[in-house]
Amino acid sequence: MTKYIINRFLQLVLVFFVFLVSSYLLFNAMPGDAFTSLLLNPQLPPDAYEKTIALYGLDRPLSERVIKYVQNFFKGDFGFSYRYYPKSPIELIAERLPRTLMLFALVNIISFYTGFLVGKILAWRRGSKSETWLTLASVLSYTVFYPWFALLMLWFFGYKMGWFPIGKFLYPEKWYDAPFDSDVVFMMMIKFTVVVSIIQFIAYLFTRNIESLSLRRNARLLSLVLIFIGSYFYWNTGDALIKKPYAADISFHMILPTIVVTIVAFAGTALLTRTTMMEVLKEDYIQTARAKGLSQKRIRDRHAARTALLPVVTSFIFTIVTIIDGSVLTEQIFSWPGMGQLLLQAVLNEDIPVAMAAFSFVGIFALVAHFVADISYAYLDPRIRIKSQG
Amino acid sequence: MSRFKESRFWRLTLLFTVFALVVVACGGSDTAEEEVVEEAPAETAAPATTAAAAEEAAPSGPDGVFKMAVFSDPATQNFWNYLDTETDVWTGWAMTGQSTSLYSVSMPNYQLVTNMAAELVEASTDNGDGTWSYTVPITEGYMWSDGTPVTANDWVFTYNTVKALELQNNWMNSWPMGSGEGDEKVQGVVGVVADNDYSVTISFNYDPGLSAWQFGTAAAPVLPESYWGQYATDRETLLAAPAENAPVASAFVYDKIEQGAFYTWAYDPNTMYFGGDTTIYEAGTTISWDNGVAPAVNESFGDTSGEGFTYTSGPYVGTVEFTLYGDQDAAYLAFQNGEVDFVLNPLGVKRNVYDQLARIPGVELVSNASNGMRYMAFNMRIFPGSDKAFRQAVSCISDKEFVINNILQGVAVNMDGQMPEALTAWVAPVTGVLADCDGMSSDERFNKSVEILQAGGWTASDWGSHAGGGERAVAPTGLKGPGGTAVPTDMLLYAPGPGYDPIRSTFSLFIADWMQQLGFDVIARPTGFGVIVDKVFAPDLCKDWYFYMLGWGLGTFPDHPEAFFHSKNDSCEGGYNTPGFDNAEFDALADQFKGAKTISDAQSISKQMEAILFEELPYLVLVTTPVLEAYRDTISFPFTDVLDGLSDSGGYPTLVKRTD
């Protein structure tokens, strides 16, 4: 396993260098000579001119510029934003990241669970009417033209029904007197979500081996009640009490984008789970389990679904990248100012330092996600480990 | 056991529901929110403003919120940074009245009026040493919002800062730095001196006219030394300096700034900048202002004869809110929903959305002429763009009215000259081939264009023909320029693609086709806006293109023909004269224009310049588009007929009234 991990890590390092170099070359090949666009301004002061040339090595051959870029990257020096001068790209990313993390982490988890559960039901109820309708609905949501669908939902639920806000992540009038900015609230919400998730996961681990279904269910419900009570006290005391109305405002604005993205995103997981689980259900050990007289629910959840989970988890880890790039379309349509919008605006405004920094950040996250996927896959599937050991 | 109890799906659904509700359902009442906020002043991380604090002490300012939608964050709140680096329109709208000036213009008639100056000084003094000076008295009694007086030292400080720190871009337009002698001479300001606290003398190394003085340096932004002096050590420090608490010379100060979401201005209850009547005439303005706090003004500017209308300045709202939306669709949906009163949009609302808004109750529609133009440029440095007959023939055969009325369904307005139609006193009568070919049918245009080419010394083995009606012409063959010059093939006409601008894209297809019907191998090439700009403005590429289409947004004072066509501004040398137009007569008139001291002189010279352009046609001016806008009837503006629309001045926050 260790050898496998080392191998994968070395591959990751290699891919990362290839990514850095190729991303530089891609930006360098952009029409309009993006790197030197700043220098085209004849009124650029000499010191800023020199600084820009020195930072990007613009007076050097391409090979040297690439090396310079890689060096700057590891020094964390992306220069300064052309548009938000003199802010650095890292400052801008730090400002936008919490907003994207909060929305898309939640969306990914919900869509994964929804997809997995729907997929499981689809496979288990093969041939039934519900399977037909659910498959049809899944395929429809998987293939729908997303911008049209998102705008339609925004129009219907936001404008026509008036149930949800039309874009944005807050009601400005509620924040006029806020003694902090929204990022502070976002960070608190992220911490809260992480803690609750960990507690819930621990509760799951502790209860998963309880044989009695009713006992296990009650234990999990108890953990939920405890989380709920704990959350109630958390949000009604101290610092959280001050931030509660603002967190509530943000949460309210998250509902519609979360629903819309979940509707579109769950189908991929559902269809993958369905396919995988249908294969698993043909396996001999499932027949054995049935022959042993185990309950249908136990066979489905503990024998079939667990095995089917393997490729689905891998697929899920890959989709985690969208937590960072924030789905440019979603952020644009719902006026959610996160990483996706930052990246889009940077490219549109030829703010190359910001675009490259955001792009690199997404790249790193994607590579790490793949690395984690590889490791977890090996951990979950012994055949991978055995193969890697030769 | 029920299905519910058996279903893990429902349990997990319950889990997430509870999870979401934990955050959402715990939200307390508004009353509780306010109490909590007050209990935690130590948490304050957002910028506090003097106005916000003062408003609590003296809640006597106007009530109500004027809500506007924007599509982009301001890149900065720092006025120095705005004019130096972040010169985009969104950032401009975010600027509170951090700066002031000697002169200003009244809206909507763009009449020159005094601002801080006690009078309009229009005559310069020749110092006899190659410099000319304007000495302007400053009205005593004006204050910045922090209580420091506005004095001549602020002009000296601003000029010295721009000069010493080498500030760029729009600072250079307002405060051009003069230097050198003889051929090396760069025209501009060479000195700003405070004669006393309320008199400033500004010197130039030439005798400037209207565009450089009245509408240039006299209208240049000035900022308070009392606040900015501490940051004016180097360029980076100054541009990065905090501006949230910077003193202003207006009724609003920054209040809440939430990056990516919204920002607000709050009424400053201690302001002296409120009230006053402005009477607008066709060519003049009367200002009558005596609010008991600021210095009283009762002056007339320009021709105040005839009928006029009067409006009283506010502010009439206590807060101005700018809310950010990701795109136009979301912004106008929010507008329809009543979430915002007005959408700030430099391009105006799209025609289909405008028609849709017309059917919604409570929405008022506005259509104004835009202060800009879209054009096709010929590269006059290379053949065939260098040939006048060619440019005239192409201009004649291009039936703009056909494209506008039959293809674009009237969404654009034909434009022949350089001046927007709304500037009636500046518009010259159309002459030359544009006048000759106006109203002609397609076959008449073809025949006339062929005549122009023949008269210009062009030859062809067969001059082709046009059957009339909707038929395409049979193109001339064996076409050769004067002296037998071979015509290049595969000539590209660069224009923005239909996604960026369908109007220019459509025109490019039609004009390329008409040129093909005249026998020229021209292809319309849809190209990214940035790519065209980089190609045609790069000095080293100035001979690498034949034709392109772009547009210009124009300034308050219509001095753009000088910038676009004076030979000294050739884009090969880094200027805006992309066609490479080089005409001694025009240059002489342009120099006279720059030195003109009165509006009537400037208009007369401008018309002579335009006549040359109609003859030479370095640009084929295409169209302008009306600026379409809409606002909720919950607000009202004192006027809505204004060149470039209501957005151009940021939605007039100090004039708008709530009607609900």
Side-chain angles (χ1 to χ4, degrees), chain A residues 107-349:
Chain A
V107 163
N108 272 274
I109 292 168
I110 292 175
S111 62
F112 172 74
Y113 270 104
T114 314
F116 182 66
L117 293 169
V118 170
K120 202 166 68 174
I121 292 165
L122 286 175
W124 194 251
R125 296 185 181 174
R126 196 181 175 198
S128 67
K129 278 186 181 174
S130 59
E131 191 244 350
T132 308
W133 286 110
L134 274 172
T135 306
L136 201 66
S138 300
V139 171
L140 194 71
S141 75
Y142 191 58
T143 53
V144 71
F145 182 55
Y146 178 67
W148 170 82
F149 179 70
L151 278 171
L152 185 76
M153 296 287 276
L154 195 64
W155 172 82
F156 185 74
F157 289 109
Y159 175 63
K160 210 70 186 168
M161 306 302 290
W163 292 351
F164 298 113
I166 298 173
K168 304 176 292 182
F169 65 88
L170 47 76
Y171 284 122
E173 57 270 27
K174 291 193 174 182
W175 290 72
Y176 284 173
D177 300 321
F180 32 69
D181 58 38
S182 63
D183 285 347
V184 176
V185 181
F186 269 112
M187 286 310 296
M188 178 165 240
M189 290 172 72
I190 289 169
K191 283 178 198 164
F192 171 77
T193 309
V194 168
V195 170
V196 166
S197 302
I198 289 170
I199 292 171
Q200 183 58 28
F201 185 66
I202 291 169
Y204 168 79
L205 289 179
F206 275 101
T207 55
R208 69 177 177 157
N209 290 324
I210 298 174
E211 284 299 317
S212 163
L213 281 175
S214 60
L215 190 60
R216 193 169 73 219
R217 185 185 62 236
N218 291 337
R220 287 180 180 173
L221 276 174
L222 180 66
S223 72
L224 271 179
V225 170
L226 289 174
I227 287 172
F228 185 79
I229 293 169
S231 302
Y232 180 82
F233 281 108
Y234 173 75
W235 285 107
N236 285 287
T237 51
D239 191 36
L241 176 65
I242 300 165
K243 297 188 172 78
K244 184 176 70 172
Y246 303 106
D249 188 32
I250 291 172
S251 302
F252 182 55
H253 281 79
M254 282 172 61
I255 294 175
L256 189 56
T258 303
I259 290 172
V260 171
V261 182
T262 300
I263 288 174
V264 174
F266 91 95
T269 308
L271 294 172
L272 180 64
T273 307
R274 174 181 174 273
T275 309
T276 318
M277 195 157 153
M278 273 164 52
E279 289 299 316
V280 172
L281 288 174
K282 292 176 192 166
E283 296 288 338
D284 292 342
Y285 69 89
I286 299 293
Q287 295 299 326
T288 308
R290 282 189 169 132
K292 280 164 69 180
L294 295 178
S295 71
Q296 293 294 302
K297 187 172 167 50
R298 187 174 291 272
I299 294 168
R300 187 187 73 188
D301 292 350
R302 310 204 80 179
H303 292 260
R306 276 192 181 178
T307 312
L309 191 64
L310 212 60
V312 181
V313 166
T314 313
S315 157
F316 170 67
I317 291 172
F318 290 161
T319 63
I320 285 177
V321 178
T322 61
I323 293 174
I324 295 298
D325 73 15
S327 175
V328 172
L329 280 173
T330 303
E331 292 195 353
Q332 192 70 5
I333 291 167
F334 289 98
S335 306
W336 194 273
M339 285 290 290
Q341 272 204 14
L342 181 71
L343 186 58
L344 179 68
Q345 292 301 324
V347 172
L348 289 177
N349 294 318

Side-chain angles (χ1 to χ4, degrees), chain B residues 125-132:
Chain B
T125 303
D126 186 348
N127 299 320
D129 58 354
T131 64
W132 284 257

Side-chain angles (χ1 to χ4, degrees), chain B residues 299-323:
Chain B
E299 281 191 74
S300 292
F301 306 92
D303 179 6
T304 53
S305 60
E307 277 196 30
F309 72 95
T310 301
Y311 62 81
T312 304
S313 296
Y316 299 102
V317 293
T319 303
V320 181
E321 177 191 302
F322 303 81
T323 306

